[in-house]
Amino acid sequence: MKRLLLLFLSSLFGLCSWAQPTYVTRCNTSYLNMTNGLPSNFIDDIYADSYGFIWIATHGGGLVRYDGYAYRYFNEGPGGMVLRSNTCHNMVEDRFHRLWISFEEHTKVLDLKTMLPVVPTSRNDILRRILGKLSVKVYRDSKDALWLVTRSTIYHVTFDDVGNVFRILRMGYQVNTPDIAMEDIDRDGSVWMAIDGGLYKLAIVHGKLVKRTISPTLSYMSDTFFTCLKMFQKDVWIGTSKGLLRYNPTAKTLKVYEKNRSGSSLSHDYVSSLAVSEGRLLVGTLGGVDFYQPETDDFLHWDTGSKTNPLCSNFVNCLFVFHGFTWVGTDSGGITKLNPRPLQIENFYHTDNITSLSTNAVNAMYAEPNGTLWVGTIEGGLNRKARGSNSFTHFTADNSALTQDAVSALVPDGNERLWIGTWGGGLNMIDLRRHTGIVPLSLPQHYAWLTQFVGALCYDAHNRLMWIGSNDGISAYDLQRKELFSPFKGCENIRGAIGSVIDRNGCLWMGCGSGVVKIDLKSNRKNPRLFSYIHFSTKLDDPKSGIIDKICALCLGHDGTLWLGSNGYGLYKRMVDRGGKTVFKAYTQRDGLANNVVKGIAEDARGILWITTDNGLSRFNPHTEAFTNYTVGDGLLSSQFYWNSAFASGGTLYFGSDKGVTVLHGDNSASLYHGRLRFTRLLVNNEEPAVGSSVLDKDISQATQINVSEGDKSIVFEFSSLSYGNEQQSVYSCRMKGFEDDWIQLKPGEHGMRYTNLPPGDYEFQVKFVSASGQSNDMMASVAVSVSPYFWKTWWFELLLFIVVGLLARFVYQRRVKELRRREAERLMQPIEEALRESEEPSELQHRIEEILHVQQKMKRSKQRSFLTDQTEMDRNEKPFMDQVMAVVEQHYMDSDFGVAELADALGLNRSILSRRLGMETGLPTSQFLRNYRLDVAKDILMKNPHDRNITEIAYKVGFNDPKYFTRCFKKKFGVSPSRSLIPEPKPKSNSRHL
């Protein structure tokens, strides 16, 4: 759309220099074009669906979906999901998550859940015929109705609750442009539309589309092309081929903005698009993007000639604003995207202005409590900037008493003096109250050489000392006696000192060329000028490695944690193990650090660490252990930082680089759009499975379950937070729950995870995006993963195999038995056959053989009858075992000599068999069975006692030869003594009377 006309009008435009909007300079810029995967640089429209994906309509490249990392193509040609056109006008999503796409040849509807084309149900399938017509535009109004515009007809489509077409209204029109401007300005479902040589309002009246006049002035403009409409500040802004119109619906007034010689007018008369971003009206033209200034009623300009964040092309086709991001689509340069910066940054660097920061790299910084900033540079001297000012005052060897222009360390003492360490000129001081009068520190000649090349300074308030780390050792200066001394034996051997801090335990840590030195500042009780120290010379997290580690940055956190930066091995955290031993944990590029060469560490008011490195600035959250990295693209002066390059004061952070000073006033990360974490791509065996296959029933962005098999050697998940900001620095963590418990943190910029040879089972793949800000907006996405085993490992196959093997074994066994019988029969028949062949009278021999066989059959039947007769007789005569036992016991229980052996002999069994069978029948040992039988008989006699016997007599009667033993056994079994069982029941009293 607008193609030939745009190219013709753009040829009339000459490039100029305009005032650039500050909004543009405070944003980061990224470019999407054919060099990074966009199929065409001609952009017609940009749209965001309800799931957070960006859709791009191109001329020549068709429809594209963008997830912040990669493109998904829906064009005609190799690699695309065919929608049969490479010329796409625009798209819009309905409330049923269907994307309606206007192509040159037709309109297509894409189901966003499956990414498959669909046609909503309509009466007589009329919608299908409408979709097949040459398309101009699709639009969704505020009442969720869709407007389909073809070359000659406008269709108004409404839907029922399930997404089927409820009603279609139509109206013919005439237009002399390949595009139509339309907008639901009044938010009532009636659309303002540029048709029939003017601008009209289309409304639904009594079930029909009716064209209504908005203003007579707007109705007769047949020589003007209307391109876009937007409501802003109660006025309707109208883009045309002859400038920008501002129409007030209340006052019915119309104002025209055109290009003129003024630098604050429109950059071009052809206005192609309008957008509103954070209260600003953006105007897209053939000369770039203009920002309307309500205060002055004019425009600021952003184009390809802008010094900061230039446009990719001045021929703007469309503007799209999405959660604070501004997307500019052009017809020749692709897309320019403005991203709100996550950091509130102010940069100071050297310019031609004499009050700017001095030249060369920044090597030292200090900020006073009142906000005055001191900056030392290499060969540029000392700089001072008052709070609220952007001008620097310079102190150099030429205009002051500064001994050397290479300033390498800045530290205040307890007397309101700023100590200035230089590289090659020793020490200087300046009064912080007057900010004038640099005074060199005078030292005896034999000590002066120790402080020529200063890399670290640290004020010791406990001992009133200034500790000095230089290229020639560590020394201490007594502020009271004004004397320099050697604080410990061998201090001159600690060379290349840089960076220092005092921890909560009163220990000074100073980095050096061979590790770090820990000096106990309270160890000088016996000798005020002699301190104990420990030298950590090898790699802190692996002391036995023998690797020399240079520590060059130190920081003490608010919680007392000591952080150390290495010149090649990353960031260290000091910890104490259970045994009280000091240990260190390392964080490197593998964990997300921007670079392993750490130049400075500072902590902000929220406990977040800011780490300057050789390749960017890292933001580290100690609680989540997540890094976020920033580079020049995020507003930094440089990604190359220098020594002593991080300093914090009063909530403000200062970073020194080879280009100047970056001041961080705040962090906007938590307030920026954080997107919606989605899966963007699934690969199984390096191929994308089709929706509707055995793997997926929905597009991977909407899927809740995927099904693969053990034979699938690799599975790849790709994902994105859809935040469209700093994707290359985003850090994700993921795991396959059920296969692994620990989260795997990916490197910055990585957005995919591959698994190979997953064993059969049910898993859940989880991915999370944890920002370094530690805010509660951390996101997680998950999808269930079912890995089915090889078919020969399934239970049903194993059961089937077991049955088949069993049947086969039975068949083989039966065949074997049959074969053996056949062979045996042959073996038996062979001599008979031979005898028959050799016999002179074979018939007689055969007759004799038959008689022998007949006799054998008679004998077999006789044996069977005898066995059955004997079995019947045995069954009839066999007496139950317990009946035999009871009969013997009843006969012999009164005999005290009758015991287990006698019972076994009487039954004809040995004692073990008797015990086993009796135990199975009664559950009692044989001896206890006999004793219980006698006691039961004794109890029966005691209860009845017909002959008034005593206990002793009864004991002897039932086979006990010891009355006392009888009494104990009786009481144990029945719970009462035998004597209680002899007590007679009382007789009832007689109630009779004598008369």
Side-chain angles (χ1 to χ4, degrees):
M1 61 195 71
K2 308 182 278 285
R3 295 171 188 82
L4 297 176
L5 183 63
L6 290 178
L7 293 174
F8 171 74
L9 293 176
S10 64
S11 64
L12 302 177
F13 176 72
L15 296 177
C16 302
S17 297
W18 310 103
Q20 187 171 1
T22 56
Y23 170 73
V24 176
T25 63
R26 289 188 282 106
C27 289
N28 298 330
T29 305
S30 56
Y31 302 94
L32 307 180
N33 49 50
M34 295 180 69
T35 62
N36 52 39
L38 199 63
S40 171
N41 284 336
F42 197 120
I43 310 301
D44 264 338
D45 190 32
I46 305 172
Y47 183 79
D49 66 24
S50 58
Y51 297 124
F53 290 97
I54 296 295
W55 294 82
I56 303 169
T58 74
H59 176 67
L63 178 66
V64 180
R65 193 188 76 176
Y66 180 61
D67 59 29
Y69 295 100
Y71 303 96
R72 188 174 184 181
Y73 308 107
F74 295 81
N75 54 359
E76 178 79 29
M81 297 181 64
V82 179
L83 291 178
R84 295 179 51 232
S85 178
N86 285 341
T87 304
C88 184
H89 296 326
N90 80 311
M91 51 267 153
V92 68
E93 181 185 1
D94 65 18
R95 60 191 176 99
F96 303 100
H97 302 292
R98 297 176 302 209
L99 191 69
W100 297 67
I101 311 145
S102 172
F103 290 102
E104 185 80 16
E105 302 84 0
H106 48 246
T107 302
K108 285 289 186 180
V109 185
L110 192 67
D111 189 339
L112 294 178
K113 301 185 188 70
T114 62
M115 292 297 160
L116 297 175
V118 295
V119 177
T121 303
S122 61
R123 183 179 300 175
N124 298 325
D125 207 18
I126 187 175
L127 181 62
R128 187 182 299 275
R129 294 194 294 273
I130 296 173
L131 297 178
K133 296 183 177 182
L134 298 177
S135 179
V136 175
K137 197 165 193 172
V138 292
Y139 180 80
R140 176 180 173 182
D141 64 28
S142 60
K143 302 300 181 181
D144 296 323
L146 285 186
W147 298 73
L148 309 181
V149 183
T150 66
R151 291 290 178 86
S152 59
T153 310
I154 300 169
Y155 297 93
H156 179 270
V157 185
T158 54
F159 303 93
D160 59 20
D161 293 337
V162 296
N164 296 326
V165 174
F166 173 72
R167 184 178 64 179
I168 299 178
L169 304 178
R170 58 179 292 172
M171 184 181 75
Y173 76 99
Q174 292 181 351
V175 72
N176 58 349
T177 61
D179 192 15
I180 287 183
M182 55 192 304
E183 186 77 17
D184 188 356
I185 294 293
D186 300 316
R187 309 296 296 169
D188 60 356
S190 299
V191 175
W192 289 35
M193 187 176 295
I195 57 173
D196 299 338
L199 186 63
Y200 299 92
K201 182 176 181 178
L202 269 62
I204 293 91
V205 180
H206 303 303
K208 294 182 179 181
L209 280 178
V210 177
K211 182 177 71 173
R212 290 178 172 176
T213 299
I214 300 172
S215 167
T217 304
L218 297 175
S219 300
Y220 302 100
M221 302 182 71
S222 57
D223 60 340
T224 302
F225 301 145
F226 294 93
T227 59
C228 51
L229 304 165
K230 182 66 65 176
M231 173 67 80
F232 177 69
Q233 293 183 348
K234 299 182 180 180
D235 290 336
V236 180
W237 297 74
I238 307 166
T240 74
S241 59
K242 294 184 177 181
L244 178 64
L245 307 182
R246 181 178 184 177
Y247 176 72
N248 186 295
T250 303
K252 306 293 184 181
T253 58
L254 185 68
K255 183 176 181 179
V256 181
Y257 297 87
E258 297 176 318
K259 180 184 181 304
N260 55 44
R261 295 181 179 180
S262 169
S264 59
S265 70
L266 277 179
S267 57
H268 199 284
D269 283 336
Y270 194 101
V271 176
S272 58
S273 54
L274 296 168
V276 176
S277 174
E278 299 182 3
R280 295 179 295 268
L281 178 66
L282 279 62
V283 183
T285 74
L286 292 187
V289 178
D290 296 338
F291 287 70
Y292 176 67
Q293 307 298 303
E295 301 84 4
T296 55
D297 196 29
D298 57 11
F299 302 89
L300 296 177
H301 309 287
W302 175 35
D303 54 29
T304 57
S306 297
K307 183 177 180 181
T308 304
N309 299 332
L311 273 178
C312 58
S313 170
N314 285 337
F315 309 143
V316 176
N317 260 356
C318 58
L319 295 172
F320 176 64
V321 177
F322 180 67
H323 293 286
F325 296 82
T326 301
W327 304 63
V328 182
T330 69
D331 76 345
S332 58
I335 297 173
T336 301
K337 178 163 64 77
L338 284 181
N339 313 325
R341 281 182 181 161
L343 305 179
Q344 298 176 20
I345 284 178
E346 186 178 12
N347 291 316
F348 297 96
Y349 50 92
H350 178 71
T351 66
D352 294 336
N353 191 328
I354 59 173
T355 62
S356 67
L357 185 68
S358 61
T359 187
N360 297 330
V362 172
N363 195 26
M365 295 174 293
Y366 172 69
E368 298 181 47
N370 63 9
T372 299
L373 175 64
W374 297 84
V375 181
T377 65
I378 299 299
E379 300 303 329
L382 181 65
N383 301 260
R384 180 181 65 84
K385 184 185 79 70
R387 182 177 183 178
S389 171
N390 289 329
S391 299
F392 287 88
T393 301
H394 306 287
F395 300 85
T396 66
D398 293 334
N399 65 9
S400 69
L402 188 66
T403 56
Q404 171 60 250
D405 284 338
V407 177
S408 54
L410 296 171
V411 170
D413 63 14
N415 298 322
E416 295 192 49
R417 294 176 300 185
L418 181 66
W419 285 62
I420 307 165
T422 69
W423 196 253
L427 293 162
N428 301 262
M429 289 178 286
I430 188 170
D431 191 330
L432 291 176
R433 288 167 293 193
R434 296 192 299 270
H435 291 168
T436 58
I438 293 180
V439 179
L441 180 66
S442 179
L443 293 172
Q445 185 62 34
H446 62 281
Y447 277 128
W449 67 274
L450 289 173
T451 60
Q452 286 301 299
F453 296 90
V454 177
L457 292 172
C458 187
Y459 174 62
D460 176 7
H462 177 73
N463 296 299
R464 296 280 293 159
L465 300 175
M466 180 63 72
W467 290 84
I468 305 164
S470 74
N471 209 37
D472 297 296
I474 297 176
S475 56
Y477 185 82
D478 192 325
L479 295 175
Q480 293 178 322
R481 297 186 179 184
K482 299 182 179 180
E483 295 177 349
L484 189 75
F485 65 92
S486 298
F488 53 87
K489 186 178 180 180
C491 61
E492 66 279 0
N493 296 323
I494 310 298
R495 300 180 179 276
I498 184 169
S500 59
V501 72
I502 297 175
D503 66 19
R504 287 185 175 181
N505 297 321
C507 293
L508 168 65
W509 295 74
M510 185 172 288
C512 61
S514 58
V516 63
V517 176
K518 175 185 176 184
I519 305 170
D520 189 349
L521 301 181
K522 299 178 182 179
S523 62
N524 61 338
R525 292 182 179 87
K526 294 182 179 180
N527 185 345
R529 294 196 172 187
L530 185 62
F531 297 82
S532 63
Y533 76 102
I534 300 175
H535 187 187
F536 301 88
S537 60
T538 55
K539 198 168 183 295
L540 295 182
D541 64 326
D542 188 11
K544 296 181 180 180
S545 66
I547 298 174
I548 303 299
D549 199 354
K550 181 177 181 179
I551 300 301
C552 50
L554 300 103
C555 175
L556 186 68
H558 294 157
D559 61 355
T561 302
L562 179 64
W563 301 89
L564 307 93
S566 166
N567 191 36
Y569 298 101
L571 175 71
Y572 292 111
K573 176 184 179 181
R574 185 189 67 164
M575 301 182 296
V576 178
D577 63 14
R578 295 180 179 179
K581 181 182 178 181
T582 296
V583 294
F584 298 87
K585 180 178 181 180
Y587 300 88
T588 65
Q589 287 178 245
R590 184 175 300 177
D591 302 300
L593 184 65
N595 189 265
N596 286 339
V597 178
V598 175
K599 294 296 184 64
I601 311 170
E603 185 187 50
D604 65 19
R606 294 179 296 171
I608 302 297
L609 294 184
W610 296 82
I611 305 151
T612 56
T613 75
D614 261 0
N615 190 33
L617 174 67
S618 288
R619 184 182 190 276
F620 178 67
N621 187 325
H623 300 290
T624 62
E625 297 188 331
F627 287 92
T628 300
N629 300 322
Y630 304 96
T631 62
V632 175
D634 298 295
L636 300 179
L637 273 176
S638 171
S639 296
Q640 175 70 58
F641 292 93
Y642 209 66
W643 310 110
N644 300 320
S645 55
F647 183 79
S649 176
T652 302
L653 284 86
Y654 304 86
F655 307 116
S657 69
D658 60 342
K659 298 290 179 60
V661 176
T662 295
V663 182
L664 178 61
H665 296 288
D667 183 4
N668 299 325
S669 299
S671 61
L672 297 180
Y673 177 64
H674 291 274
R676 302 171 64 180
L677 186 57
R678 294 279 183 187
F679 293 104
T680 58
R681 195 181 186 198
L682 174 69
L683 294 176
V684 178
N685 294 330
N686 297 322
E687 294 183 357
E688 286 193 62
V691 175
S693 66
S694 60
V695 178
L696 284 172
D697 61 348
K698 296 180 181 178
D699 182 68
I700 186 60
S701 63
Q702 308 301 319
T704 58
Q705 169 90 30
I706 67 171
N707 302 292
V708 295
S709 67
E710 188 179 2
D712 295 322
K713 297 302 181 182
S714 69
I715 307 173
V716 178
F717 298 91
E718 293 183 5
F719 32 82
S720 172
S721 64
L722 302 183
S723 56
Y724 305 105
N726 196 6
E727 291 88 1
Q728 297 308 316
Q729 300 299 334
S730 297
V731 178
Y732 300 89
S733 295
C734 54
R735 67 176 178 180
M736 185 70 75
K737 191 176 181 181
F739 176 71
E740 57 197 358
D741 294 328
D742 296 332
W743 290 91
I744 300 172
Q745 181 170 301
L746 306 183
K747 294 180 181 179
E750 290 186 353
H751 60 102
M753 188 67 181
R754 176 187 292 270
Y755 289 91
T756 58
N757 299 317
L758 276 176
D762 293 324
Y763 310 102
E764 183 181 20
F765 180 72
Q766 299 175 331
V767 58
K768 64 180 179 179
F769 175 76
V770 182
S771 64
S773 62
Q775 302 295 320
S776 58
N777 50 28
D778 297 341
M779 298 173 286
M780 179 181 290
S782 64
V783 61
V785 180
S786 178
V787 182
S788 59
Y790 289 112
F791 74 91
W792 61 81
K793 292 184 178 181
T794 58
W795 66 268
W796 57 265
F797 182 82
E798 292 178 352
L799 177 61
L800 180 62
L801 184 62
F802 178 78
I803 294 173
V804 170
V805 170
L807 293 175
L808 182 61
R810 181 182 178 186
F811 173 76
V812 171
Y813 173 76
Q814 291 176 344
R815 286 287 302 273
R816 178 64 175 168
V817 171
K818 186 176 181 180
E819 179 65 18
L820 290 175
R821 287 177 176 174
R822 185 187 63 79
R823 291 180 181 178
E824 183 66 17
E826 289 180 354
R827 188 183 65 82
L828 294 174
M829 291 297 296
Q830 185 174 0
I832 297 174
E833 292 176 351
E834 291 178 353
L836 288 174
R837 283 195 300 269
E838 296 174 358
S839 175
E840 295 178 355
E841 297 180 358
S843 58
E844 181 179 353
L845 180 58
Q846 183 176 358
H847 177 71
R848 290 181 60 188
I849 293 173
E850 290 176 353
E851 286 184 351
I852 293 172
L853 294 176
H854 182 67
V855 170
Q856 288 182 347
Q857 290 178 356
K858 285 184 177 180
M859 291 179 62
K860 183 178 180 179
R861 287 195 294 269
S862 176
K863 290 178 182 179
Q864 289 179 347
R865 286 195 299 269
S866 299
F867 174 77
L868 292 175
T869 302
D870 180 70
Q871 185 69 28
T872 303
E873 183 178 355
M874 289 294 295
D875 292 342
R876 185 172 59 251
N877 297 331
E878 185 177 5
K879 190 175 184 180
F881 173 72
M882 284 307 298
D883 290 348
Q884 298 180 40
V885 172
M886 295 306 296
V888 174
V889 173
E890 288 175 1
Q891 185 178 358
H892 299 284
Y893 78 91
M894 293 179 290
D895 185 359
S896 60
D897 293 329
F898 184 78
V900 176
E902 289 74 18
L903 178 60
D905 292 340
L907 294 172
L909 302 171
N910 61 40
R911 296 180 63 177
S912 61
I913 295 177
L914 172 63
S915 177
R916 184 165 60 253
R917 293 194 62 180
L918 195 60
M920 293 175 59
E921 295 287 346
T922 65
L924 297 173
T926 308
S927 59
Q928 187 175 345
F929 171 76
L930 291 173
R931 185 167 55 249
N932 287 353
Y933 184 86
R934 285 168 170 152
L935 290 173
D936 289 336
V937 173
K939 182 180 179 183
D940 192 46
I941 295 173
L942 286 170
M943 294 296 294
K944 298 176 180 178
N945 201 8
H947 302 292
D948 198 19
R949 297 174 180 173
N950 57 35
I951 294 174
T952 300
E953 291 175 328
I954 295 174
Y956 287 123
K957 176 67 177 175
V958 296
F960 283 88
N961 53 14
D962 186 353
K964 292 182 179 179
Y965 177 68
F966 167 75
T967 300
R968 289 196 304 271
C969 293
F970 190 93
K971 187 174 182 179
K972 183 177 181 180
K973 178 171 174 60
F974 299 111
V976 295
S977 63
S979 58
R980 294 290 299 272
S981 300
L982 285 173
I983 299 175
E985 296 182 1
K987 296 181 180 180
K989 295 182 180 180
S990 176
N991 292 328
S992 60
R993 293 183 179 180
H994 294 282
L995 297 177

